Amino acid sequence: HAFDGDVARCRVAALELEGAPQRDAFLDAARQLVSDFETSPAAQLLATREARATAARDAKAAKRAAAAASSKGAAPKLVPKSVNFALQLVGMLRPVGFGNMQGFASYAMGPHSLLFGYSDDRDPNGGMEGDEMPLFRLQPKVTVDVDM
């Protein structure tokens, strides 16, 4: 170790100092610092930066490859990069009224969401021909998000 060489060079034989306890204390402190750093926010930030840099390099390489293939007349690949599914539940309460009171509330749970509304615009006379508008309507929706 370089530390051992420095200690041997600086040692005064008359004092009978070996430096072993100081070396052991230094190595223990260094090992503790390294083990603490691996779980620290600074280490996580460095790892995130490295992952982003790798992803950016890969994206640039893929873009260059696609441009090169396109310049040679090859058709672009239509393979989606990601496909996400989400569920949305929509409910609407429509009592009889003149439409002067309305309100909506929504709640998102990741990609899924709930949306409920209130509007007092249902015509008491059944203005539309045929079936009367229901008081409460519940409509599930499935969303497919394809990123290219």
Side-chain angles (χ1 to χ4, degrees):
H1 290 43
F3 184 75
D4 293 333
D6 290 341
V7 168
R9 196 171 52 245
C10 297
R11 189 170 67 112
V12 177
L15 296 177
E16 298 179 1
L17 298 175
E18 295 297 320
Q22 290 82 4
R23 182 190 67 223
D24 293 340
F26 173 76
L27 290 175
D28 290 342
R31 286 185 187 111
Q32 185 64 37
L33 182 66
V34 169
S35 68
D36 290 347
F37 180 75
E38 292 174 353
T39 59
S40 71
Q44 294 172 358
L45 180 63
L46 289 174
T48 302
R49 285 183 184 167
E50 291 173 8
R52 286 183 182 170
T54 302
R57 279 194 306 270
D58 292 347
K60 286 181 182 177
K63 190 174 183 178
R64 282 193 302 269
S70 177
S71 67
K72 294 178 183 176
K77 295 181 180 180
L78 298 177
V79 178
K81 292 183 180 179
S82 69
V83 177
N84 297 314
F85 295 91
L87 180 67
Q88 182 179 24
L89 190 60
V90 179
M92 188 70 178
L93 180 64
R94 299 180 84 175
V96 175
F98 297 106
N100 55 359
M101 184 187 286
Q102 299 174 0
F104 293 91
S106 65
Y107 180 74
M109 300 167 287
H112 312 293
S113 64
L114 300 171
L115 174 66
F116 290 100
Y118 173 85
S119 179
D120 66 341
D121 62 350
R122 190 167 61 144
D123 188 2
N125 299 327
M128 295 176 27
E129 296 294 326
D131 294 336
E132 184 179 332
M133 188 180 306
L135 174 66
F136 184 73
R137 180 177 177 180
L138 194 61
Q139 178 177 352
K141 294 182 179 181
V142 176
T143 305
V144 180
D145 185 18
V146 180
D147 290 332
M148 303 299 265

